[in-house]
Amino acid sequence: SSEVQAEELYMAYQDIREEYKQRATSEEYADKWDILRASANGDTVISMLQHPDDASCPYVRMQAILPVDRQDVWSFLELDNWSETMPKMDPFYNDLQILRRYKYKPSPTSRAVAMVLAKKTTKRIVVYGKRDFTFVSVSDIPRSDGVWVSGTVSVSTPHLPRDPSYVRGFQDSIAMYEVLPKDHETPRSLKC
């Protein structure tokens, strides 16, 4: 369309979320993940899946059990906090520009979904040039099982041209935050 519309952004997010559900989190591929690294106690595991439908773009999964409240992690990762939190996680992070905020109701009876259209820039990474990522960040409606879901989807449109001094990057993600049962080792644990 002539402008970036909330419905278009939400539909792009839904497509990525469904793709992850079918490819990355389905039972069919549960045993196909290669563990790249795991912490000694097993609380953090980083894995990769080379999916046969798109072997050129692997899926990377990080699972972590965190002894914190879900809201604390959710707040830590909110875009409004990136100036403080992102440099702790990504040494190549440079800046974030919020372009527009949206509220979108997928149906008349559902709650509104919060979406933020943003542009992230990174510093030069060894042989790779500086990158700019234009994306929508979605805080989704909690699933019926209580799991909180969020995602980021790359956005490519002539209305948001890349900065000529940067290489346009693409990176999509889906995150699920699940509170573990109280009988887990720590009283308040979160599985991400």
Side-chain angles (χ1 to χ4, degrees):
S1 69
S2 61
E3 273 189 33
V4 179
Q5 301 293 321
E7 183 176 13
E8 293 172 310
L9 293 174
Y10 188 74
M11 287 172 50
Y13 163 71
Q14 288 282 79
D15 289 346
I16 291 294
R17 192 177 73 179
E18 285 306 307
E19 180 181 304
Y20 270 62
K21 186 177 176 183
Q22 292 171 7
R23 293 183 177 181
T25 62
S26 71
E27 289 296 319
E28 181 181 357
Y29 296 100
D31 62 347
K32 306 270 192 276
W33 289 85
D34 294 322
I35 295 175
L36 302 176
R37 182 167 289 206
S39 62
N41 65 2
D43 280 357
T44 304
V45 179
I46 300 172
S47 312
M48 186 167 64
L49 170 67
Q50 295 282 351
H51 198 280
D53 290 345
D54 190 2
S56 68
C57 186
Y59 289 85
V60 176
R61 174 178 70 190
M62 184 186 92
Q63 293 175 296
I65 297 175
L66 306 171
V68 296
D69 185 70
R70 176 171 39 188
Q71 185 62 53
D72 292 342
V73 174
W74 192 267
S75 296
F76 183 85
L77 297 173
E78 280 185 315
L79 296 185
D80 290 335
N81 298 326
W82 272 25
S83 62
E84 299 261 337
T85 61
M86 191 53 68
K88 297 174 185 174
M89 297 187 304
D90 181 356
F92 300 104
Y93 171 80
N94 184 53
D95 189 34
L96 179 76
Q97 178 185 6
I98 302 289
L99 303 172
R100 186 168 172 195
R101 295 178 189 273
Y102 300 84
K103 290 277 188 189
Y104 179 70
K105 287 184 73 149
S107 73
T109 59
S110 67
R111 293 191 331 226
V113 175
M115 298 186 295
V116 179
L117 185 61
K119 183 184 280 193
K120 169 186 156 183
T121 56
T122 64
K123 301 170 189 164
R124 183 177 187 82
I125 305 171
V126 191
V127 297
Y128 301 104
K130 301 180 293 183
R131 306 247 177 199
D132 98 353
F133 298 87
T134 301
F135 64 95
V136 62
S137 176
V138 181
S139 298
D140 206 347
I141 300 164
R143 294 186 334 195
S144 60
D145 61 3
V147 174
W148 291 8
V149 181
S150 68
T152 60
V153 178
S154 299
V155 174
S156 178
T157 171
H159 306 290
L160 301 168
R162 77 173 175 85
D163 181 326
S165 66
Y166 286 82
V167 174
R168 177 58 50 97
F170 296 92
Q171 179 179 336
D172 301 323
S173 69
I174 299 294
M176 289 167 260
Y177 305 87
E178 175 182 5
V179 175
L180 294 174
K182 291 202 185 294
D183 61 350
H184 194 264
E185 298 165 7
T186 51
R188 292 182 337 183
S189 292
L190 175 69
K191 180 178 177 184
C192 302

